[in-house]
Amino acid sequence: MEENMEEGQTQKGCFECCIKCLGGIPYASLIATILLYAGVALFCGCGHEALSGTVTILHNYFEVARSAGDTLDVFTMIDIFKYVIYGMAAAFFVYGILLMVEGFFTTGAIKDLYGDFKITTCGRCVSAWFIMLTYIFMLAWLGVTAFTSLPVFMYFNIWTICQNTTVVEGANLCLDLRQFGIVTIGEEKKICTGSENFFKMCESNELDLTFHLFIVALAGAGAAVIAMIHYLMVLSANWAYVKDACRMQKYEDIKSKEEQELHDIHSTRSKERLNAYT
C-alpha cells in the first residue's frame, strides 16, 4: 500500500515537473526561430546553388570567361556573394539561439534559480537591445529580399522567352549582358533567339533549375522578414513584461518596508505600554 502511494506521488511529481517545463517554453520565440531558420536555410542553400548555376550559364551559353588577375568581374562578385551567404547562415544561427535564450529568461523558465529581481533588471536591458538589433536586421532582410528579386526578374524574362519560342519565331530578340551590368560596355556578350546557344540554353536544365532556385531563395528571404517581424512583436511583449515585473518588484519592496516599519512601531508601543504598566 505504501509502495503504491509512493509510486503515485512520484508520478504526480513527474507530471507536475513536465507541466512546469512546458509552461516555461517560449512558444512565440520558438515559432519565430523555426521560421527564421527555415527562411535562412532556404535563402542560403538555394541562393548558393542558384549562383553556381548562374556561373554555368554564363560560361556555357554566354561564353563569358573569368578575367585574369585581381580584376573585379561578375565571377568574383558571385564568389563574394557566396562567402556572404556562409557568414549569414552562421550569424543568424547564433542569433536565433540568443533570441531563444532571451525568451526563456523573460518567460521565467529559470526564475526559481536566479530570482525575480535579477531577471527583470537584466532582462529589461537585454530586451531593449534585442529590439533595436532585430529592427536593424529586419531592414537588412528587406534589402536582401529586394536585391534577390532582381535575378528573379531577369531569369523570368529569359525563361518566358524560352517558353514562347514559337511565338517569337522569326523575331530577332537578343539578351545583352551589358544591359544588366554583368559585363563592361566594351564586351559584347549577348545571345539571340535564333542562335544555337539560345536553343541549347532553353533545352538545358540549368536555366529552369536556376530560375526556380532563385524563386525559392526569394521566398526564404521573405520568410526571414516575417520571422524578424514576429521577433519584434515577441521582444516588445517581453520588454513590457519585464518592465511591469520591475515595477511590481519595487512596489513589493516598498510595501514590505512599510509593513516592517508598522510592525516596528507597534512593537515599540507595546514595549512602552508594558514598561509603563510595570
Side-chain angles (χ1 to χ4, degrees):
M1 184 69 179
E2 293 180 356
E3 292 180 356
N4 293 334
M5 291 179 63
E6 292 179 357
E7 184 177 356
Q9 291 178 355
T10 303
Q11 292 178 354
K12 184 178 180 181
C14 293
F15 178 76
E16 292 178 353
C17 183
C18 292
I19 294 298
K20 186 177 180 181
C21 291
L22 291 175
I25 295 176
Y27 292 102
S29 298
L30 181 62
I31 293 172
T33 303
I34 293 173
L35 186 60
L36 176 65
Y37 283 168
V40 172
L42 287 176
F43 174 79
C44 294
C46 296
H48 182 275
E49 293 303 315
L51 290 174
S52 300
T54 301
V55 171
T56 303
I57 291 173
L58 292 175
H59 266 305
N60 296 340
Y61 308 111
F62 286 92
E63 299 177 353
V64 180
R66 185 182 291 270
S67 301
D70 297 332
T71 307
L72 185 63
D73 57 359
V74 62
F75 298 106
T76 306
M77 293 296 296
I78 288 176
D79 292 338
I80 293 174
F81 288 149
K82 287 183 178 180
Y83 285 116
V84 170
I85 285 175
Y86 300 149
M88 290 176 62
F92 280 97
F93 176 77
V94 176
Y95 190 64
I97 294 176
L98 291 177
L99 289 177
M100 276 297 298
V101 172
E102 193 273 344
F104 273 107
F105 268 89
T106 44
T107 50
I110 56 173
K111 191 178 293 185
D112 295 335
L113 295 177
Y114 294 99
D116 289 346
F117 182 73
K118 186 173 182 179
I119 286 179
T120 53
T121 303
C122 298
R124 187 175 179 181
C125 298
V126 171
S127 296
W129 170 256
F130 274 122
I131 288 173
M132 181 186 68
L133 201 60
T134 304
Y135 183 75
I136 295 173
F137 284 148
M138 184 199 68
L139 296 179
W141 273 109
L142 282 174
V144 170
T145 304
F147 183 77
T148 309
S149 64
L150 296 179
V152 173
F153 176 73
M154 293 166 54
Y155 274 102
F156 175 75
N157 290 334
I158 301 173
W159 184 78
T160 302
I161 294 174
C162 288
Q163 296 297 316
N164 297 278
T165 52
T166 57
V167 177
V168 299
E169 188 176 357
N172 189 21
L173 302 179
C174 295
L175 298 168
D176 197 337
L177 296 181
R178 291 176 295 183
Q179 297 175 342
F180 305 106
I182 297 177
V183 296
T184 59
I185 300 297
E187 298 180 75
E188 186 177 353
K189 300 294 182 181
K190 63 181 180 179
I191 185 173
C192 298
T193 54
S195 63
E196 184 180 356
N197 284 341
F198 176 79
F199 289 108
K200 287 183 178 179
M201 181 182 67
C202 292
E203 293 175 358
S204 65
N205 294 325
E206 286 88 356
L207 178 63
D208 190 69
L209 180 61
T210 304
F211 172 52
H212 288 90
L213 283 174
F214 270 121
I215 292 177
V216 177
L218 179 62
V225 172
I226 296 174
M228 290 293 104
I229 296 174
H230 195 164
Y231 269 130
L232 280 175
M233 294 188 293
V234 172
L235 291 170
S236 300
N238 289 344
W239 187 82
Y241 168 78
V242 295
K243 184 178 180 180
D244 292 341
C246 187
R247 290 179 178 177
M248 183 61 67
Q249 182 66 39
K250 291 180 180 179
Y251 171 75
E252 292 293 337
D253 292 340
I254 294 173
K255 182 179 178 181
S256 177
K257 185 177 180 180
E258 290 179 350
E259 290 178 351
Q260 184 64 36
E261 290 177 354
L262 290 174
H263 181 269
D264 294 339
I265 292 172
H266 285 300
S267 298
T268 303
R269 288 181 178 178
S270 298
K271 289 180 180 180
E272 290 177 353
R273 290 175 182 176
L274 182 63
N275 293 332
Y277 179 76
T278 55

